[in-house]
Amino acid sequence: MAPTTTMGSALYPLGEMRQSQRADGLAAVLAIGTANPPNCVTQEEFPDFYFRATNSDHLTALKDKFKRICQEMGVQRRYLHHTEEMLSAHPEFVDRDAPSLDARLDIAAEAVPELAARAAGRAIAEWGRPAADITHLVVTTNSGAHIPGVDFRLVPLLGLRPSVRRTMLHLNGCFAGCAALRLAKDLAENSRGARVLVVAAELTLMNFCGPDEGCFRTLLVQGLFGDGAAAVIVGADAERPLFEIVSAAQTIIPESDHALNMRFTERRLDGVLGRQVPGLIGDNVERCLLDMFGPLLGGGGGEWNNLFWAVHPGSSTIMDQVDAALGLEPGKLAASRRVLSDYGNMSGATVIFALDELRRQRKEAAAAGEWPELGVMMAFGPGMTVDAMLLHATSHVN
Ligand SMILES: CC(=O)CC(=O)SCCNC(=O)CCNC(=O)[C@H](O)C(C)(C)COP(=O)(O)OP(=O)(O)OC[C@H]1O[C@@H](n2cnc3c(N)ncnc32)[C@H](O)[C@@H]1OP(=O)(O)O
């Protein structure tokens, strides 16, 4: 028998076979689509809606504090799948101690795939090719616990091939959008011709509950988070790339595992949202970025203003921390702040909304011919985790 190596043999040249399966170029974002439920609630009216719908208007001091803080979050409006009618029909969603997870999951099982399909349909329409040309599907959500999951439901809803290669990422928190894109990059670059549909979809119904005077954290969550879905088509050697994904990385902020976590209980999706979260991000974000991308950026920090930025807007305070830690000029986080203002924090979907807003701003800026070539897309989440990618803005503006 002829000698073989890890590169194969003359008969079966594994090295060549592998090379022929890999893409030549970088994975790139080819199209983006987003969707929200129709029910829009302004931040101004939200405290009245929330305290009325949870029969809590008698908690006047708590409501006053909530009203004040709702105005500090950087949010103007949000879209919510749950309505006052739904909450009246499900008093168990309001009662903090009622075991209501089953009913929440039943609603999410229908609503999340529908919302995800709307965002994905828009991305596919913008891409301009048939849905059947999608080769891989990566779906991420914190809003469900089903097998088969949202990925499976999207196949008939979008007209994908039954042979589309599906991956479902559950419970990645607010860094899920970046994590799913990171996976899509690896898939696209390692599978010639792959066109990967990435979808992140979130419903706050999973953690909705009535107020608790002893736990202001749960109120913060009610005031900050919104519902939405975002989709991206990723491919290498591709038609009309918008942003090439130069590098993708993830890291853990040291000694931060106590600060932010989530778990399903028999009642809802619950967890810890510590007061120290914004400070931990501020104290660590530059070091994390240098570890992840410093060598690619010539080793230097302090040049952050030469980049464009799409950052998960966890809240206005978190945006302020990132601004200050990186010494960013005013307006560098404008896309992220705009998304926070118009939609709230949509957990894993938010950073893709920020990328979508960024490309809109880039299109406007392109007329003036001023736009950085490289940028960072970055999200934070439980761990605490920083998930980020270095992007290259191509000459194609859409
Ligand atoms: C990490 C990620 O990015 C992933 C995510 O998306 S997870 C969500 C991330 N977002 C957050 O963690 C919210 C961070 N917090 C904030 O942005 C700000 O605290 C805020 C905008 C909510 C309010 O800001 P502010 O008005 O300047 O006041 P601030 O002093 O911070 O807090 C106001 C009150 O809320 C309370 N509070 C703030 N954060 C709290 C928390 N995590 N848990 C409980 N209470 C909290 C404060 O103790 C304070 O109460 P008192 O008035 O009784 O002292």
Side-chain angles (χ1 to χ4, degrees), residues 209-293:
C209 63
D212 175 357
E213 285 178 284
C215 186
F216 195 68
R217 160 181 62 77
T218 48
L219 264 183
L220 277 187
V221 171
Q222 308 304 321
L224 185 59
F225 283 83
D227 297 345
V232 179
I233 293 173
V234 174
D237 310 327
E239 57 285 351
R240 289 179 288 124
L242 296 169
F243 298 100
E244 286 168 316
I245 306 173
V246 180
S247 179
Q250 187 188 66
T251 191
I252 297 169
I253 294 177
E255 295 173 31
S256 65
D257 49 341
H258 54 289
L260 183 59
N261 57 59
M262 303 193 305
R263 68 181 180 127
F264 276 113
T265 68
E266 60 186 353
R267 296 172 293 281
R268 60 187 169 274
L269 185 60
D270 202 358
V272 169
L273 180 63
R275 282 182 179 78
Q276 62 277 56
V277 165
L280 277 168
I281 291 172
D283 290 347
N284 290 281
V285 64
E286 182 165 38
R287 170 54 37 208
C288 291
L289 284 168
L290 286 172
D291 289 348
M292 291 192 279
F293 305 128

Side-chain angles (χ1 to χ4, degrees), residues 65 68-69 72-74 174-175 215-218 220 224-225 260 273-278 281 312-318 345 347 379-382 384-385:
K65 179 174 169 181
R68 182 173 54 77
I69 284 160
E72 301 299 327
M73 291 173 175
C174 295
F175 66 83
C215 186
F216 195 68
R217 160 181 62 77
T218 48
L220 277 187
L224 185 59
F225 283 83
L260 183 59
L273 180 63
R275 282 182 179 78
Q276 62 277 56
V277 165
I281 291 172
H312 167 70
S315 76
S316 56
T317 308
I318 291 176
N345 181 337
S347 193
F380 316 105
M384 286 178 58
T385 301

Side-chain angles (χ1 to χ4, degrees), residues 332-349:
K332 277 286 172 185
L333 297 183
S336 301
R337 288 186 189 272
R338 175 76 186 265
V339 166
L340 182 65
S341 172
D342 288 354
Y343 301 97
N345 181 337
M346 296 167 289
S347 193

Side-chain angles (χ1 to χ4, degrees), residues 100-177:
S100 54
L101 185 61
D102 286 0
R104 294 173 198 261
L105 287 175
D106 285 348
I107 292 172
E110 295 305 314
V112 176
E114 281 168 19
L115 191 59
R118 282 206 285 123
R122 285 174 185 160
I124 292 169
E126 181 186 308
W127 180 45
R129 284 178 51 179
D133 287 358
I134 298 290
T135 57
H136 297 71
L137 175 62
V138 179
V139 180
T140 182
T141 187
N142 300 292
S143 313
H146 305 88
I147 308 173
V150 184
D151 57 327
F152 182 86
R153 292 286 313 283
L154 283 178
V155 174
L157 284 172
L158 295 171
L160 305 177
R161 287 177 193 271
S163 57
V164 69
R165 280 156 272 178
R166 297 175 284 122
T167 306
M168 188 73 217
L169 304 176
H170 279 290
L171 287 181
N172 275 230
C174 295
F175 66 83

